[in-house]
Amino acid sequence: MHELTLAKNIVATVSQSLEGIKDVKRVKSIKLKVGRIHVLSVDALDFCFKLMSKGTPLEGAELEVQEVPLTARCERCDEEFELDGYLFVCPRCGSPEIKVIRGEELLIESFEIVKEDEDGD
Amino acid sequence: MEIKVLKKILETNEKMADENRRFLREKGILCVNMMSSPGSGKSTIIERTVEKLGDRFKFGVIEGDIQTTLDAERMARLGVETFQINTGPFGGDCHLEAGWIRAALNEMKLDGLDFLFIENIGNLVCPAEFDVGSHLNAVVLSTPEGEDKPLKYPLMFRVSHVMLVNKIDLLPHLDMDVEALRKNVLGVNPGLKIIEISAKTGQGIDRWIELLLAEREKLTGEAK
Ligand SMILES: Nc1nc2c(ncn2[C@@H]2O[C@H](COP(=O)(O)OP(=O)(O)OP(=O)(O)O)[C@@H](O)[C@H]2O)c(=O)[nH]1
Ligand SMILES: [Mg+2]
Ligand SMILES: [Zn+2]
């Protein structure tokens, strides 16, 4: 269950970013990008995030997890393609020398805040 | 109001892992991260390795375990510098992180060590997500586990440099198809080295030893 560690890191990173911003009432949502190579349970992550964000401005924020398909470029024939399953081979020329360009990331992309003078639905 | 962040979730761990890797390289210690499902043979392989090379090289072992000190006791019996990390107090975590390795390194007697093994916690998911600062990642897959594991846990086989197919002595009793395993795993990671071994009979261990020695030479050559 490494989702607990991920949740801790998300809370820490977003809290740190909040330090420079004035009059924050709360964080409404956090956008994450998760490459398809990662095995991650969104339910477990939600659960752990609730636990770790309790009592912070992040409490109640919604995690928006965007799954990123595995995409690679062939270093031999330059073909760019989306991977079929987990076969890391060029579908055009059969070369195993490919460079993954998306689908391995685990990123905090952005977050949405509500300021003191806003309603923020 | 939207605030851009664009940061890796595990950035802190990655930085710490790079520091560990550099620190160990400067000391001339090859750090090997052993990962596998529970019971695939990590401890036995480390024991065999120390038996083979113990008279020429000095070993250290960091044992990750959720609760017990059983594996650490096995290692201590070999007379190697052993450090135990119990993740139980941290919520029973299922993997080791670079920060804990750093803490272990601060406590251990590292002078004169040539190899440091990290026996990670037994599972094929979480340890793959956390770089600990190793120079070589070895995944152990034992023959009873089946040939489909690389397809179920692709990241583990992507982050590994070598796969040890252990318990090869059991093959006559199993339906395991080693050729299918090779095909599956090379599809996931075409550059992966594959060594079939039996930690029990010693079959194939010499190829593993050769690889370790070559990797250490590469590392210490770099350090000079
Ligand atoms: N037949 C056979 N048994 C083996 C081999 N290698 C290890 N074993 C046995 O498999 C069992 C588990 O081995 P360990 O070395 O403790 O495995 P491990 O990966 O360290 O296990 P955990 O640390 O508990 O995850 C022991 O009973 C070993 O004796 C092998 O090559 N062949
Ligand atoms: Mg063990
Ligand atoms: Zn191609």
Side-chain angles (χ1 to χ4, degrees):
Chain A
M1 253 264 296
H2 60 287
E3 283 83 355
L4 184 62
T5 313
L6 296 180
K8 272 185 218 169
N9 280 278
I10 294 166
V11 171
T13 304
V14 173
S15 300
Q16 208 182 10
S17 300
L18 282 176
E19 278 170 19
I21 310 168
K22 268 195 244 158
D23 305 326
V24 178
K25 198 198 279 175
R26 63 187 179 88
V27 176
K28 201 166 127 189
S29 60
I30 302 170
K31 277 199 184 123
L32 307 175
K33 275 196 168 170
V34 178
R36 185 163 72 80
I37 194 78
H38 297 280
V39 180
L40 187 147
S41 155
V42 175
D43 284 345
L45 185 63
D46 271 333
F47 178 81
C48 295
F49 177 76
K50 282 202 182 93
L51 209 70
M52 297 313 300
S53 61
K54 232 186 172 69
T56 77
L58 283 70
E59 185 171 344
E62 194 188 328
L63 294 183
E64 294 172 14
V65 179
Q66 186 197 346
E67 193 187 284
V68 184
L70 269 165
T71 312
R73 183 177 304 115
C74 178
E75 308 217 296
R76 202 173 293 169
C77 77
D78 219 33
E79 172 92 343
E80 193 175 310
F81 57 94
E82 202 173 296
L83 269 75
D84 191 13
Y86 293 110
L87 192 60
F88 288 74
V89 172
C90 174
R92 182 158 162 225
C93 75
S95 170
E97 280 152 45
I98 64 169
K99 194 169 167 37
V100 176
I101 46 185
R102 278 186 296 279
E104 292 186 320
E105 59 274 77
L106 206 50
L107 284 179
I108 304 173
E109 173 146 278
S110 64
F111 59 90
E112 183 87 25
I113 54 169
V114 177
K115 292 240 181 176
E116 288 293 358
D117 52 0
E118 286 175 273
D119 282 347
D121 36 299
Chain B
M1 183 171 149
E2 190 179 31
I3 317 285
K4 283 265 169 235
V5 184
L6 277 180
K7 264 200 182 161
K8 291 181 180 173
I9 300 180
L10 296 179
E11 190 171 87
T12 316
N13 186 71
E14 275 181 31
K15 279 193 184 143
M16 189 88 77
D18 285 337
E19 279 170 31
N20 290 349
R21 200 164 10 253
R22 193 173 343 111
F23 172 78
L24 288 164
R25 193 189 65 202
E26 279 162 8
K27 287 201 163 295
I29 303 172
L30 183 83
C31 179
V32 186
N33 183 14
M34 304 284 286
M35 298 178 280
S36 82
S37 309
S40 302
K42 298 178 293 296
S43 301
T44 316
I45 293 168
I46 297 170
E47 286 170 337
R48 288 294 156 277
T49 309
V50 173
E51 281 167 20
K52 282 260 177 182
L53 292 176
D55 52 349
R56 283 191 285 154
F57 297 95
K58 266 184 84 176
F59 288 82
V61 181
I62 296 175
E63 281 291 339
D65 223 305
I66 295 179
Q67 282 289 351
T68 74
T69 57
L70 292 172
D71 281 353
E73 286 160 24
R74 278 171 76 176
M75 296 304 146
R77 247 176 267 142
L78 292 171
V80 304
E81 175 71 14
T82 307
F83 192 90
Q84 166 85 43
I85 300 176
N86 275 131
T87 60
F90 304 99
D93 263 328
C94 43
H95 60 269
L96 295 175
E97 288 176 29
W100 306 342
I101 300 299
R102 171 97 260 188
L105 294 176
N106 283 338
E107 299 288 323
M108 293 175 79
K109 290 193 207 76
L110 300 172
D111 285 337
L113 288 195
D114 302 294
F115 293 94
L116 175 68
F117 279 102
I118 296 175
E119 181 173 343
N120 219 310
I121 313 253
N123 84 69
L124 290 174
V125 181
C126 313
E129 298 278 355
F130 296 87
D131 189 353
V132 287
S134 45
H135 306 105
L136 186 75
N137 289 339
V139 57
V140 182
L141 188 77
S142 63
T143 49
E145 293 172 66
E147 62 273 350
D148 57 347
K149 293 300 163 292
L151 304 178
K152 286 193 174 162
Y153 308 100
L155 186 61
M156 174 57 78
F157 295 87
R158 290 272 306 161
V159 300
S160 294
H161 305 101
V162 55
M163 171 172 77
L164 300 175
V165 186
N166 190 35
K167 308 196 187 180
I168 209 78
D169 57 289
L170 296 180
L171 267 190
H173 311 286
L174 304 167
D175 293 330
M176 166 75 154
D177 181 346
V178 178
E179 270 323 298
L181 171 67
R182 277 180 181 273
K183 192 167 151 275
N184 289 343
V185 81
L186 290 174
V188 170
N189 182 359
L192 188 74
K193 296 194 178 94
I194 304 171
I195 306 179
E196 295 174 16
I197 65 167
S198 167
K200 187 177 170 186
T201 68
Q203 184 189 335
I205 291 283
D206 286 343
R207 279 194 60 209
W208 163 239
I209 299 282
E210 255 170 52
L211 176 96
L212 284 176
L213 293 177
E215 289 295 326
R216 178 156 185 285
E217 213 152 274
K218 238 178 19 190
L219 181 87
T220 50
E222 274 171 24
K224 269 174 209 151

